[in-house]
Amino acid sequence: MDISGRWRTIKERIASAEKRAGRPTGSVSLLAVTKTFGPEEVLAAYKAGQRDFGENRVQEWQGKAPFLPEDCRWHIIGRLQTNKVKYLDERVRLIHSLDRFPLLQALQTAGEKKGLIWPALLEVNIAGDEAKAGLAPEEVGDFLTAAADHSAVDIRGFMTIGPFAAPEAEMREVFRRLRLLRDETRARGIPGAAGLDALSMGMSRDFETAVEEGATIVRVGSLLFGERRQDDREEA
Ligand SMILES: *Cc1c(COP(=O)(O)O)cnc(C)c1O
């Protein structure tokens, strides 16, 4: 099967999972993770109908984006270095990996300078995995309170990366806990928390489970584009 065939299959599998979970059709958006793949492969997905694309590294994105149609919506999903923030612009639809104060401040400064507001998700390390980026669940409330006076950053929800190669039940539990964290945070009345809607969770091996547990964005790379030659999942 080629990229457009795989794209259709993934879209159908998302739709079936939505149905199983009793969620409206179209409530979950597919983010095509294009890291390590070239403009031709991205364009094949674009031609199939895909518009949202996720990149891990700012420099790789900068090299690729000029070769692609202007209505591509780009998402930054990898650990974002503060010294790379200056390269971001209005093509960035959503930053999934806001995980620390210095990055919040760098985004504020760059946003003021460029006259942009960055839509962003807080990356949460649900499983407490030491090797992973992300705020601990108990840090989220204070982070949101601090972010409330950063007018150039608009926090829309949460993102998590599940444990690598964990059994399905364990993944499901991680996704469920991210959803509960969002619901509890909204209920706490922290400034800005009422607008927390997005849940970016689930990848190639577990996106259907994530949809069943409330994902609004699933991030799928290898199932759509094929195996990557190297795995650079955490870096920006
Ligand atoms: C690479 C990556 C993905 C996609 O992973 P696949 O298993 O290839 O679908 C999703 N999210 C993040 C943060 C990634 O780095």
PDB file of all heavy atoms in Angstrom, residues 31 33 35 37 55-56 77-79 96 123 159-161 164 200 202-205 218-224 226-228 231-235, ligand 1:
ATOM      1  N   LEU A  31      -2.572  14.018  13.121  1.00  0.00           N
ATOM      2  CA  LEU A  31      -1.345  14.766  12.876  1.00  0.00           C
ATOM      3  C   LEU A  31      -0.348  13.805  12.230  1.00  0.00           C
ATOM      4  O   LEU A  31       0.007  12.784  12.826  1.00  0.00           O
ATOM      5  CB  LEU A  31      -0.792  15.321  14.193  1.00  0.00           C
ATOM      6  CG  LEU A  31       0.526  16.089  14.094  1.00  0.00           C
ATOM      7  CD1 LEU A  31       0.380  17.319  13.205  1.00  0.00           C
ATOM      8  CD2 LEU A  31       1.007  16.503  15.481  1.00  0.00           C
ATOM      9  N   VAL A  33       3.178  12.761  11.372  1.00  0.00           N
ATOM     10  CA  VAL A  33       4.511  13.078  11.886  1.00  0.00           C
ATOM     11  C   VAL A  33       5.548  12.806  10.792  1.00  0.00           C
ATOM     12  O   VAL A  33       5.788  11.662  10.406  1.00  0.00           O
ATOM     13  CB  VAL A  33       4.809  12.269  13.163  1.00  0.00           C
ATOM     14  CG1 VAL A  33       6.233  12.544  13.654  1.00  0.00           C
ATOM     15  CG2 VAL A  33       3.804  12.618  14.255  1.00  0.00           C
ATOM     16  N   LYS A  35       8.873  13.801  10.623  1.00  0.00           N
ATOM     17  CA  LYS A  35      10.316  13.817  10.920  1.00  0.00           C
ATOM     18  C   LYS A  35      11.039  12.705  10.173  1.00  0.00           C
ATOM     19  O   LYS A  35      10.521  11.580  10.099  1.00  0.00           O
ATOM     20  CB  LYS A  35      10.553  13.695  12.423  1.00  0.00           C
ATOM     21  CG  LYS A  35      10.142  12.348  12.978  1.00  0.00           C
ATOM     22  CD  LYS A  35      10.333  12.280  14.485  1.00  0.00           C
ATOM     23  CE  LYS A  35       9.905  10.917  14.980  1.00  0.00           C
ATOM     24  NZ  LYS A  35       9.414  10.918  16.344  1.00  0.00           N
ATOM     25  N   PHE A  37      11.319  12.280   7.107  1.00  0.00           N
ATOM     26  CA  PHE A  37      10.808  12.059   5.749  1.00  0.00           C
ATOM     27  C   PHE A  37      10.912  13.340   4.928  1.00  0.00           C
ATOM     28  O   PHE A  37      10.799  14.445   5.462  1.00  0.00           O
ATOM     29  CB  PHE A  37       9.375  11.538   5.794  1.00  0.00           C
ATOM     30  CG  PHE A  37       9.296  10.177   6.423  1.00  0.00           C
ATOM     31  CD1 PHE A  37       8.896  10.018   7.735  1.00  0.00           C
ATOM     32  CD2 PHE A  37       9.698   9.047   5.712  1.00  0.00           C
ATOM     33  CE1 PHE A  37       8.869   8.769   8.341  1.00  0.00           C
ATOM     34  CE2 PHE A  37       9.681   7.792   6.297  1.00  0.00           C
ATOM     35  CZ  PHE A  37       9.264   7.649   7.616  1.00  0.00           C
ATOM     36  N   GLU A  55       6.616  18.064  13.264  1.00  0.00           N
ATOM     37  CA  GLU A  55       8.067  17.949  13.146  1.00  0.00           C
ATOM     38  C   GLU A  55       8.704  18.012  14.528  1.00  0.00           C
ATOM     39  O   GLU A  55       8.236  18.719  15.413  1.00  0.00           O
ATOM     40  CB  GLU A  55       8.617  19.100  12.285  1.00  0.00           C
ATOM     41  CG  GLU A  55       8.398  18.899  10.789  1.00  0.00           C
ATOM     42  CD  GLU A  55       9.342  17.865  10.179  1.00  0.00           C
ATOM     43  OE1 GLU A  55      10.427  17.638  10.733  1.00  0.00           O
ATOM     44  OE2 GLU A  55       8.970  17.281   9.144  1.00  0.00           O
ATOM     45  N   ASN A  56       9.822  17.307  14.682  1.00  0.00           N
ATOM     46  CA  ASN A  56      10.540  17.305  15.956  1.00  0.00           C
ATOM     47  C   ASN A  56      11.604  18.381  16.041  1.00  0.00           C
ATOM     48  O   ASN A  56      11.901  18.871  17.108  1.00  0.00           O
ATOM     49  CB  ASN A  56      11.269  15.969  16.121  1.00  0.00           C
ATOM     50  CG  ASN A  56      10.442  14.984  16.841  1.00  0.00           C
ATOM     51  OD1 ASN A  56       9.255  14.925  16.581  1.00  0.00           O
ATOM     52  ND2 ASN A  56      11.035  14.224  17.730  1.00  0.00           N
ATOM     53  N   ILE A  77       6.487  19.101  17.773  1.00  0.00           N
ATOM     54  CA  ILE A  77       6.150  18.063  18.752  1.00  0.00           C
ATOM     55  C   ILE A  77       7.345  17.607  19.575  1.00  0.00           C
ATOM     56  O   ILE A  77       7.189  16.871  20.537  1.00  0.00           O
ATOM     57  CB  ILE A  77       5.484  16.844  18.076  1.00  0.00           C
ATOM     58  CG1 ILE A  77       6.418  16.204  17.058  1.00  0.00           C
ATOM     59  CG2 ILE A  77       4.163  17.249  17.415  1.00  0.00           C
ATOM     60  CD1 ILE A  77       5.887  14.897  16.498  1.00  0.00           C
ATOM     61  N   GLY A  78       8.558  18.015  19.203  1.00  0.00           N
ATOM     62  CA  GLY A  78       9.744  17.551  19.942  1.00  0.00           C
ATOM     63  C   GLY A  78      10.188  18.571  20.970  1.00  0.00           C
ATOM     64  O   GLY A  78       9.687  19.697  21.006  1.00  0.00           O
ATOM     65  N   ARG A  79      11.119  18.177  21.802  1.00  0.00           N
ATOM     66  CA  ARG A  79      11.653  19.094  22.805  1.00  0.00           C
ATOM     67  C   ARG A  79      12.201  20.335  22.100  1.00  0.00           C
ATOM     68  O   ARG A  79      13.050  20.246  21.223  1.00  0.00           O
ATOM     69  CB  ARG A  79      12.753  18.405  23.599  1.00  0.00           C
ATOM     70  CG  ARG A  79      13.304  19.289  24.696  1.00  0.00           C
ATOM     71  CD  ARG A  79      14.331  18.533  25.537  1.00  0.00           C
ATOM     72  NE  ARG A  79      15.094  19.487  26.347  1.00  0.00           N
ATOM     73  CZ  ARG A  79      14.711  19.902  27.547  1.00  0.00           C
ATOM     74  NH1 ARG A  79      13.611  19.436  28.098  1.00  0.00           N
ATOM     75  NH2 ARG A  79      15.436  20.780  28.204  1.00  0.00           N
ATOM     76  N   HIS A  96       3.317  21.401  20.730  1.00  0.00           N
ATOM     77  CA  HIS A  96       2.815  20.340  21.615  1.00  0.00           C
ATOM     78  C   HIS A  96       3.701  20.137  22.834  1.00  0.00           C
ATOM     79  O   HIS A  96       3.351  19.357  23.708  1.00  0.00           O
ATOM     80  CB  HIS A  96       2.752  19.001  20.869  1.00  0.00           C
ATOM     81  CG  HIS A  96       1.732  18.943  19.775  1.00  0.00           C
ATOM     82  ND1 HIS A  96       0.803  17.941  19.677  1.00  0.00           N
ATOM     83  CD2 HIS A  96       1.493  19.766  18.724  1.00  0.00           C
ATOM     84  CE1 HIS A  96       0.040  18.128  18.607  1.00  0.00           C
ATOM     85  NE2 HIS A  96       0.451  19.237  18.006  1.00  0.00           N
ATOM     86  N   GLU A 123       3.221  19.681  27.799  1.00  0.00           N
ATOM     87  CA  GLU A 123       3.619  18.276  27.774  1.00  0.00           C
ATOM     88  C   GLU A 123       3.683  17.768  29.210  1.00  0.00           C
ATOM     89  O   GLU A 123       4.346  18.357  30.059  1.00  0.00           O
ATOM     90  CB  GLU A 123       4.975  18.109  27.087  1.00  0.00           C
ATOM     91  CG  GLU A 123       5.384  16.637  27.012  1.00  0.00           C
ATOM     92  CD  GLU A 123       6.601  16.393  26.132  1.00  0.00           C
ATOM     93  OE1 GLU A 123       7.043  17.311  25.421  1.00  0.00           O
ATOM     94  OE2 GLU A 123       7.098  15.250  26.179  1.00  0.00           O
ATOM     95  N   MET A 159      -0.423  17.370  26.250  1.00  0.00           N
ATOM     96  CA  MET A 159       0.147  16.344  25.382  1.00  0.00           C
ATOM     97  C   MET A 159       0.922  15.366  26.245  1.00  0.00           C
ATOM     98  O   MET A 159       1.492  15.752  27.267  1.00  0.00           O
ATOM     99  CB  MET A 159       1.082  17.018  24.379  1.00  0.00           C
ATOM    100  CG  MET A 159       1.845  16.083  23.466  1.00  0.00           C
ATOM    101  SD  MET A 159       3.416  15.495  24.119  1.00  0.00           S
ATOM    102  CE  MET A 159       4.441  15.654  22.675  1.00  0.00           C
ATOM    103  N   THR A 160       0.924  14.100  25.856  1.00  0.00           N
ATOM    104  CA  THR A 160       1.811  13.150  26.535  1.00  0.00           C
ATOM    105  C   THR A 160       2.374  12.146  25.543  1.00  0.00           C
ATOM    106  O   THR A 160       1.791  11.900  24.486  1.00  0.00           O
ATOM    107  CB  THR A 160       1.126  12.421  27.715  1.00  0.00           C
ATOM    108  OG1 THR A 160       2.135  11.904  28.591  1.00  0.00           O
ATOM    109  CG2 THR A 160       0.233  11.272  27.249  1.00  0.00           C
ATOM    110  N   ILE A 161       3.544  11.630  25.889  1.00  0.00           N
ATOM    111  CA  ILE A 161       4.151  10.528  25.137  1.00  0.00           C
ATOM    112  C   ILE A 161       4.073   9.319  26.052  1.00  0.00           C
ATOM    113  O   ILE A 161       4.585   9.351  27.172  1.00  0.00           O
ATOM    114  CB  ILE A 161       5.619  10.843  24.777  1.00  0.00           C
ATOM    115  CG1 ILE A 161       5.688  12.120  23.930  1.00  0.00           C
ATOM    116  CG2 ILE A 161       6.263   9.657  24.061  1.00  0.00           C
ATOM    117  CD1 ILE A 161       7.101  12.575  23.594  1.00  0.00           C
ATOM    118  N   PHE A 164       7.361   3.637  26.246  1.00  0.00           N
ATOM    119  CA  PHE A 164       7.773   2.937  25.031  1.00  0.00           C
ATOM    120  C   PHE A 164       7.493   1.445  25.179  1.00  0.00           C
ATOM    121  O   PHE A 164       7.842   0.838  26.183  1.00  0.00           O
ATOM    122  CB  PHE A 164       9.272   3.190  24.796  1.00  0.00           C
ATOM    123  CG  PHE A 164       9.728   2.734  23.445  1.00  0.00           C
ATOM    124  CD1 PHE A 164       9.229   3.338  22.299  1.00  0.00           C
ATOM    125  CD2 PHE A 164      10.627   1.691  23.327  1.00  0.00           C
ATOM    126  CE1 PHE A 164       9.649   2.911  21.049  1.00  0.00           C
ATOM    127  CE2 PHE A 164      11.045   1.254  22.074  1.00  0.00           C
ATOM    128  CZ  PHE A 164      10.559   1.867  20.936  1.00  0.00           C
ATOM    129  N   SER A 200      -3.404  15.741  23.065  1.00  0.00           N
ATOM    130  CA  SER A 200      -2.569  15.167  22.022  1.00  0.00           C
ATOM    131  C   SER A 200      -1.925  13.914  22.583  1.00  0.00           C
ATOM    132  O   SER A 200      -1.023  13.987  23.416  1.00  0.00           O
ATOM    133  CB  SER A 200      -1.508  16.198  21.609  1.00  0.00           C
ATOM    134  OG  SER A 200      -0.504  15.610  20.813  1.00  0.00           O
ATOM    135  N   GLY A 202      -1.295   9.372  21.731  1.00  0.00           N
ATOM    136  CA  GLY A 202      -1.428   8.221  20.843  1.00  0.00           C
ATOM    137  C   GLY A 202      -0.548   8.387  19.616  1.00  0.00           C
ATOM    138  O   GLY A 202      -0.478   9.466  19.041  1.00  0.00           O
ATOM    139  N   MET A 203       0.150   7.298  19.259  1.00  0.00           N
ATOM    140  CA  MET A 203       1.036   7.277  18.095  1.00  0.00           C
ATOM    141  C   MET A 203       0.680   6.031  17.269  1.00  0.00           C
ATOM    142  O   MET A 203      -0.367   5.434  17.474  1.00  0.00           O
ATOM    143  CB  MET A 203       2.499   7.278  18.540  1.00  0.00           C
ATOM    144  CG  MET A 203       2.740   8.179  19.753  1.00  0.00           C
ATOM    145  SD  MET A 203       4.420   8.787  19.985  1.00  0.00           S
ATOM    146  CE  MET A 203       5.385   7.324  20.048  1.00  0.00           C
ATOM    147  N   SER A 204       1.567   5.676  16.340  1.00  0.00           N
ATOM    148  CA  SER A 204       1.230   4.583  15.417  1.00  0.00           C
ATOM    149  C   SER A 204       0.711   3.327  16.110  1.00  0.00           C
ATOM    150  O   SER A 204      -0.254   2.715  15.674  1.00  0.00           O
ATOM    151  CB  SER A 204       2.459   4.198  14.581  1.00  0.00           C
ATOM    152  OG  SER A 204       2.753   5.214  13.663  1.00  0.00           O
ATOM    153  N   ARG A 205       1.372   2.939  17.210  1.00  0.00           N
ATOM    154  CA  ARG A 205       1.032   1.627  17.783  1.00  0.00           C
ATOM    155  C   ARG A 205      -0.186   1.667  18.705  1.00  0.00           C
ATOM    156  O   ARG A 205      -0.684   0.639  19.116  1.00  0.00           O
ATOM    157  CB  ARG A 205       2.249   1.048  18.517  1.00  0.00           C
ATOM    158  CG  ARG A 205       2.649   1.832  19.746  1.00  0.00           C
ATOM    159  CD  ARG A 205       4.111   1.628  20.109  1.00  0.00           C
ATOM    160  NE  ARG A 205       4.663   2.889  20.565  1.00  0.00           N
ATOM    161  CZ  ARG A 205       4.630   3.296  21.837  1.00  0.00           C
ATOM    162  NH1 ARG A 205       4.067   2.562  22.763  1.00  0.00           N
ATOM    163  NH2 ARG A 205       5.149   4.452  22.165  1.00  0.00           N
ATOM    164  N   VAL A 218      -4.195  12.720  17.382  1.00  0.00           N
ATOM    165  CA  VAL A 218      -3.280  11.584  17.445  1.00  0.00           C
ATOM    166  C   VAL A 218      -2.104  11.866  16.510  1.00  0.00           C
ATOM    167  O   VAL A 218      -2.273  12.460  15.456  1.00  0.00           O
ATOM    168  CB  VAL A 218      -3.961  10.239  17.098  1.00  0.00           C
ATOM    169  CG1 VAL A 218      -4.977   9.853  18.169  1.00  0.00           C
ATOM    170  CG2 VAL A 218      -4.636  10.272  15.724  1.00  0.00           C
ATOM    171  N   ARG A 219      -0.906  11.484  16.937  1.00  0.00           N
ATOM    172  CA  ARG A 219       0.314  11.801  16.190  1.00  0.00           C
ATOM    173  C   ARG A 219       0.858  10.518  15.565  1.00  0.00           C
ATOM    174  O   ARG A 219       1.404   9.656  16.266  1.00  0.00           O
ATOM    175  CB  ARG A 219       1.362  12.402  17.138  1.00  0.00           C
ATOM    176  CG  ARG A 219       0.844  13.565  18.002  1.00  0.00           C
ATOM    177  CD  ARG A 219       1.945  14.080  18.909  1.00  0.00           C
ATOM    178  NE  ARG A 219       2.550  13.033  19.719  1.00  0.00           N
ATOM    179  CZ  ARG A 219       2.173  12.737  20.966  1.00  0.00           C
ATOM    180  NH1 ARG A 219       1.214  13.401  21.574  1.00  0.00           N
ATOM    181  NH2 ARG A 219       2.783  11.761  21.621  1.00  0.00           N
ATOM    182  N   VAL A 220       0.709  10.377  14.259  1.00  0.00           N
ATOM    183  CA  VAL A 220       1.065   9.127  13.600  1.00  0.00           C
ATOM    184  C   VAL A 220       2.165   9.362  12.558  1.00  0.00           C
ATOM    185  O   VAL A 220       2.016  10.191  11.669  1.00  0.00           O
ATOM    186  CB  VAL A 220      -0.181   8.500  12.936  1.00  0.00           C
ATOM    187  CG1 VAL A 220       0.201   7.230  12.171  1.00  0.00           C
ATOM    188  CG2 VAL A 220      -1.252   8.190  13.986  1.00  0.00           C
ATOM    189  N   GLY A 221       3.273   8.640  12.720  1.00  0.00           N
ATOM    190  CA  GLY A 221       4.383   8.765  11.783  1.00  0.00           C
ATOM    191  C   GLY A 221       4.604   7.496  10.983  1.00  0.00           C
ATOM    192  O   GLY A 221       4.205   7.383   9.822  1.00  0.00           O
ATOM    193  N   SER A 222       5.227   6.487  11.611  1.00  0.00           N
ATOM    194  CA  SER A 222       5.694   5.318  10.861  1.00  0.00           C
ATOM    195  C   SER A 222       4.569   4.519  10.193  1.00  0.00           C
ATOM    196  O   SER A 222       4.773   3.959   9.116  1.00  0.00           O
ATOM    197  CB  SER A 222       6.538   4.422  11.765  1.00  0.00           C
ATOM    198  OG  SER A 222       5.915   4.237  13.010  1.00  0.00           O
ATOM    199  N   LEU A 223       3.412   4.493  10.789  1.00  0.00           N
ATOM    200  CA  LEU A 223       2.314   3.737  10.171  1.00  0.00           C
ATOM    201  C   LEU A 223       1.885   4.373   8.844  1.00  0.00           C
ATOM    202  O   LEU A 223       1.399   3.693   7.943  1.00  0.00           O
ATOM    203  CB  LEU A 223       1.119   3.696  11.130  1.00  0.00           C
ATOM    204  CG  LEU A 223       0.032   2.668  10.832  1.00  0.00           C
ATOM    205  CD1 LEU A 223       0.562   1.247  10.942  1.00  0.00           C
ATOM    206  CD2 LEU A 223      -1.159   2.856  11.775  1.00  0.00           C
ATOM    207  N   LEU A 224       2.087   5.667   8.712  1.00  0.00           N
ATOM    208  CA  LEU A 224       1.723   6.374   7.494  1.00  0.00           C
ATOM    209  C   LEU A 224       2.868   6.421   6.484  1.00  0.00           C
ATOM    210  O   LEU A 224       2.673   6.176   5.295  1.00  0.00           O
ATOM    211  CB  LEU A 224       1.284   7.803   7.870  1.00  0.00           C
ATOM    212  CG  LEU A 224       0.929   8.760   6.743  1.00  0.00           C
ATOM    213  CD1 LEU A 224      -0.201   8.212   5.866  1.00  0.00           C
ATOM    214  CD2 LEU A 224       0.522  10.127   7.322  1.00  0.00           C
ATOM    215  N   GLY A 226       6.063   4.838   6.827  1.00  0.00           N
ATOM    216  CA  GLY A 226       7.005   3.719   6.819  1.00  0.00           C
ATOM    217  C   GLY A 226       8.008   3.867   7.953  1.00  0.00           C
ATOM    218  O   GLY A 226       8.004   4.855   8.674  1.00  0.00           O
ATOM    219  N   GLU A 227       8.872   2.877   8.074  1.00  0.00           N
ATOM    220  CA  GLU A 227       9.854   2.895   9.169  1.00  0.00           C
ATOM    221  C   GLU A 227      10.848   4.033   8.983  1.00  0.00           C
ATOM    222  O   GLU A 227      11.306   4.283   7.877  1.00  0.00           O
ATOM    223  CB  GLU A 227      10.612   1.563   9.214  1.00  0.00           C
ATOM    224  CG  GLU A 227       9.786   0.411   9.776  1.00  0.00           C
ATOM    225  CD  GLU A 227       9.225   0.694  11.159  1.00  0.00           C
ATOM    226  OE1 GLU A 227       9.975   1.237  11.996  1.00  0.00           O
ATOM    227  OE2 GLU A 227       8.035   0.384  11.386  1.00  0.00           O
ATOM    228  N   ARG A 228      11.177   4.700  10.096  1.00  0.00           N
ATOM    229  CA  ARG A 228      12.220   5.733  10.031  1.00  0.00           C
ATOM    230  C   ARG A 228      13.578   5.069  10.114  1.00  0.00           C
ATOM    231  O   ARG A 228      13.730   4.047  10.778  1.00  0.00           O
ATOM    232  CB  ARG A 228      12.084   6.704  11.209  1.00  0.00           C
ATOM    233  CG  ARG A 228      10.961   7.689  11.053  1.00  0.00           C
ATOM    234  CD  ARG A 228      10.918   8.649  12.225  1.00  0.00           C
ATOM    235  NE  ARG A 228      10.614   7.998  13.484  1.00  0.00           N
ATOM    236  CZ  ARG A 228       9.367   7.716  13.893  1.00  0.00           C
ATOM    237  NH1 ARG A 228       8.332   8.047  13.163  1.00  0.00           N
ATOM    238  NH2 ARG A 228       9.168   7.118  15.038  1.00  0.00           N
ATOM    239  N   ASP A 231      15.695   7.032  14.989  1.00  0.00           N
ATOM    240  CA  ASP A 231      14.614   7.447  15.858  1.00  0.00           C
ATOM    241  C   ASP A 231      15.071   8.637  16.702  1.00  0.00           C
ATOM    242  O   ASP A 231      15.923   8.505  17.572  1.00  0.00           O
ATOM    243  CB  ASP A 231      14.216   6.279  16.775  1.00  0.00           C
ATOM    244  CG  ASP A 231      12.924   6.593  17.525  1.00  0.00           C
ATOM    245  OD1 ASP A 231      12.514   7.764  17.572  1.00  0.00           O
ATOM    246  OD2 ASP A 231      12.337   5.661  18.066  1.00  0.00           O
ATOM    247  N   ASP A 232      14.490   9.795  16.432  1.00  0.00           N
ATOM    248  CA  ASP A 232      14.889  10.977  17.189  1.00  0.00           C
ATOM    249  C   ASP A 232      13.652  11.584  17.830  1.00  0.00           C
ATOM    250  O   ASP A 232      13.365  12.746  17.691  1.00  0.00           O
ATOM    251  CB  ASP A 232      15.600  11.985  16.292  1.00  0.00           C
ATOM    252  CG  ASP A 232      14.833  12.236  15.022  1.00  0.00           C
ATOM    253  OD1 ASP A 232      13.745  11.626  14.856  1.00  0.00           O
ATOM    254  OD2 ASP A 232      15.274  13.034  14.214  1.00  0.00           O
ATOM    255  N   ARG A 233      12.957  10.728  18.529  1.00  0.00           N
ATOM    256  CA  ARG A 233      11.628  11.125  18.984  1.00  0.00           C
ATOM    257  C   ARG A 233      11.619  12.314  19.943  1.00  0.00           C
ATOM    258  O   ARG A 233      10.666  13.071  19.952  1.00  0.00           O
ATOM    259  CB  ARG A 233      10.918   9.890  19.510  1.00  0.00           C
ATOM    260  CG  ARG A 233      10.820   9.669  20.938  1.00  0.00           C
ATOM    261  CD  ARG A 233      10.307   8.262  21.285  1.00  0.00           C
ATOM    262  NE  ARG A 233      10.339   7.285  20.221  1.00  0.00           N
ATOM    263  CZ  ARG A 233       9.231   6.767  19.675  1.00  0.00           C
ATOM    264  NH1 ARG A 233       8.065   7.135  20.061  1.00  0.00           N
ATOM    265  NH2 ARG A 233       9.345   5.877  18.726  1.00  0.00           N
ATOM    266  N   GLU A 234      12.646  12.527  20.716  1.00  0.00           N
ATOM    267  CA  GLU A 234      12.540  13.554  21.763  1.00  0.00           C
ATOM    268  C   GLU A 234      13.109  14.927  21.393  1.00  0.00           C
ATOM    269  O   GLU A 234      12.912  15.884  22.101  1.00  0.00           O
ATOM    270  CB  GLU A 234      13.205  13.087  23.049  1.00  0.00           C
ATOM    271  CG  GLU A 234      12.440  11.988  23.775  1.00  0.00           C
ATOM    272  CD  GLU A 234      11.288  12.494  24.632  1.00  0.00           C
ATOM    273  OE1 GLU A 234      11.039  13.705  24.621  1.00  0.00           O
ATOM    274  OE2 GLU A 234      10.639  11.672  25.280  1.00  0.00           O
ATOM    275  N   GLU A 235      13.884  15.025  20.336  1.00  0.00           N
ATOM    276  CA  GLU A 235      14.623  16.266  20.138  1.00  0.00           C
ATOM    277  C   GLU A 235      13.947  17.299  19.261  1.00  0.00           C
ATOM    278  O   GLU A 235      13.171  16.970  18.390  1.00  0.00           O
ATOM    279  CB  GLU A 235      15.982  15.947  19.518  1.00  0.00           C
ATOM    280  CG  GLU A 235      16.988  15.568  20.575  1.00  0.00           C
ATOM    281  CD  GLU A 235      18.373  15.498  19.976  1.00  0.00           C
ATOM    282  OE1 GLU A 235      18.835  16.533  19.482  1.00  0.00           O
ATOM    283  OE2 GLU A 235      18.942  14.407  19.985  1.00  0.00           O
TER     284      GLU A 235
HETATM  285  C1  LIG B   1       8.013  10.420  16.296  1.00  0.00           C
HETATM  286  C2  LIG B   1       6.920  10.879  17.159  1.00  0.00           C
HETATM  287  C3  LIG B   1       5.600  10.439  16.965  1.00  0.00           C
HETATM  288  C4  LIG B   1       5.204   9.432  15.906  1.00  0.00           C
HETATM  289  O1  LIG B   1       5.679   8.164  16.233  1.00  0.00           O
HETATM  290  P1  LIG B   1       5.226   6.860  15.385  1.00  0.00           P
HETATM  291  O2  LIG B   1       5.384   5.761  16.348  1.00  0.00           O
HETATM  292  O3  LIG B   1       6.139   6.776  14.229  1.00  0.00           O
HETATM  293  O4  LIG B   1       3.825   7.065  14.974  1.00  0.00           O
HETATM  294  C5  LIG B   1       4.625  10.963  17.783  1.00  0.00           C
HETATM  295  N1  LIG B   1       4.902  11.864  18.736  1.00  0.00           N
HETATM  296  C6  LIG B   1       6.155  12.316  18.950  1.00  0.00           C
HETATM  297  C7  LIG B   1       6.394  13.314  20.018  1.00  0.00           C
HETATM  298  C8  LIG B   1       7.197  11.843  18.177  1.00  0.00           C
HETATM  299  O5  LIG B   1       8.436  12.281  18.405  1.00  0.00           O
END
